[in-house]
Coordinates of all heavy atoms in Angstrom, one line a residue:
D30 N -0.7 12.0 -10.4 CA -0.6 11.5 -11.8 C 0.6 12.1 -12.5 O 0.5 12.8 -13.5 CB -1.9 11.8 -12.6 CG -2.0 10.9 -13.8 OD1 -1.8 9.6 -13.6 OD2 -2.3 11.3 -14.9
D31 N 1.8 11.8 -12.0 CA 3.1 12.3 -12.5 C 4.1 11.1 -12.3 O 4.2 10.6 -11.2 CB 3.5 13.6 -11.9 CG 4.7 14.2 -12.5 OD1 5.8 13.5 -12.6 OD2 4.6 15.3 -13.0
V32 N 4.8 10.8 -13.3 CA 5.7 9.6 -13.2 C 6.8 9.9 -12.2 O 7.3 9.0 -11.5 CB 6.4 9.3 -14.6 CG1 5.3 8.8 -15.6 CG2 7.1 10.5 -15.2
R33 N 7.1 11.2 -12.0 CA 8.1 11.5 -10.9 C 7.6 11.3 -9.5 O 8.3 10.8 -8.7 CB 8.6 12.9 -11.1 CG 9.4 13.2 -12.4 CD 9.5 14.6 -12.8 NE 8.2 15.2 -13.1 CZ 8.0 16.4 -13.5 NH1 9.0 17.2 -13.7 NH2 6.8 16.9 -13.8
V34 N 6.3 11.6 -9.3 CA 5.7 11.4 -8.1 C 5.5 9.9 -7.8 O 5.8 9.4 -6.7 CB 4.3 12.1 -8.0 CG1 3.6 11.8 -6.7 CG2 4.5 13.6 -8.1
I35 N 5.1 9.2 -8.8 CA 4.9 7.7 -8.7 C 6.2 7.1 -8.4 O 6.3 6.2 -7.6 CB 4.3 7.2 -10.0 CG1 2.8 7.7 -10.2 CG2 4.2 5.6 -10.0 CD1 2.2 7.4 -11.5
S36 N 7.3 7.5 -9.1 CA 8.6 6.9 -8.9 C 9.1 7.2 -7.5 O 9.7 6.3 -6.8 CB 9.6 7.5 -9.9 OG 9.2 7.2 -11.2
G37 N 8.8 8.4 -7.0 CA 9.2 8.7 -5.6 C 8.5 7.8 -4.6 O 9.1 7.3 -3.6
N38 N 7.2 7.6 -4.8 CA 6.4 6.7 -3.9 C 6.9 5.2 -4.1 O 6.7 4.4 -3.1 CB 4.9 6.8 -4.3 CG 4.3 8.0 -3.7 OD1 4.3 8.2 -2.5 ND2 3.6 8.8 -4.5
A39 N 7.5 4.9 -5.2 CA 8.0 3.5 -5.4 C 9.1 3.2 -4.4 O 9.3 2.0 -4.1 CB 8.4 3.3 -6.8
T40 N 9.8 4.2 -3.9 CA 10.9 3.9 -2.9 C 10.3 3.3 -1.6 O 11.1 2.6 -0.9 CB 11.7 5.2 -2.6 OG1 10.8 6.2 -2.0 CG2 12.3 5.8 -3.9
C41 N 9.1 3.6 -1.3 CA 8.4 2.9 -0.2 C 8.4 1.4 -0.4 O 8.7 0.7 0.5 CB 7.1 3.5 0.1 SG 6.2 2.9 1.5
G42 N 8.0 1.0 -1.6 CA 8.0 -0.4 -1.9 C 9.4 -1.0 -1.9 O 9.6 -2.1 -1.4
L43 N 10.3 -0.2 -2.4 CA 11.7 -0.7 -2.4 C 12.2 -0.9 -1.0 O 12.9 -1.9 -0.7 CB 12.6 0.3 -3.2 CG 14.0 -0.1 -3.4 CD1 14.2 -1.4 -4.1 CD2 14.8 1.0 -4.1
E44 N 11.9 0.0 -0.1 CA 12.3 -0.1 1.3 C 11.7 -1.4 1.9 O 12.4 -2.1 2.7 CB 11.9 1.1 2.1 CG 12.3 1.1 3.6 CD 11.9 2.3 4.3 OE1 11.5 3.3 3.7 OE2 12.0 2.3 5.5
I45 N 10.5 -1.7 1.6 CA 9.9 -2.9 2.2 C 10.6 -4.2 1.6 O 10.9 -5.1 2.4 CB 8.4 -3.0 1.8 CG1 7.6 -1.9 2.5 CG2 7.8 -4.3 2.1 CD1 6.2 -1.7 2.1
V46 N 10.9 -4.2 0.3 CA 11.6 -5.3 -0.2 C 12.9 -5.5 0.4 O 13.4 -6.6 0.7 CB 11.7 -5.1 -1.8 CG1 12.6 -6.1 -2.4 CG2 10.3 -5.2 -2.4
R47 N 13.7 -4.4 0.6 CA 15.0 -4.5 1.2 C 14.9 -5.0 2.6 O 15.7 -5.8 3.0 CB 15.7 -3.1 1.1 CG 16.2 -2.7 -0.2 CD 16.7 -1.3 -0.2 NE 17.4 -0.9 -1.5 CZ 17.7 0.3 -1.8 NH1 17.5 1.3 -1.0 NH2 18.4 0.5 -2.9
Q48 N 14.0 -4.5 3.4 CA 13.9 -4.9 4.8 C 13.5 -6.4 4.8 O 14.0 -7.1 5.7 CB 12.9 -4.1 5.5 CG 13.3 -2.6 5.7 CD 12.3 -1.8 6.5 OE1 11.2 -2.2 6.7 NE2 12.7 -0.6 6.8
H49 N 12.6 -6.8 4.0 CA 12.2 -8.2 4.0 C 13.3 -9.1 3.5 O 13.5 -10.2 4.1 CB 10.9 -8.4 3.1 CG 10.4 -9.7 3.2 ND1 9.6 -10.2 4.2 CD2 10.5 -10.8 2.3 CE1 9.2 -11.4 4.0 NE2 9.7 -11.8 2.8
S50 N 14.0 -8.7 2.5 CA 15.0 -9.6 1.9 C 16.2 -9.7 2.8 O 16.9 -10.7 2.8 CB 15.5 -9.0 0.5 OG 14.4 -9.0 -0.4

Side-chain angles (χ1 to χ4, degrees):
D30 201 46
D31 187 299
V32 292
R33 294 163 293 186
V34 175
I35 295 171
S36 298
N38 280 305
T40 62
C41 183
L43 184 60
E44 182 179 349
I45 292 172
V46 170
R47 283 175 172 168
Q48 290 179 353
H49 184 78
S50 298

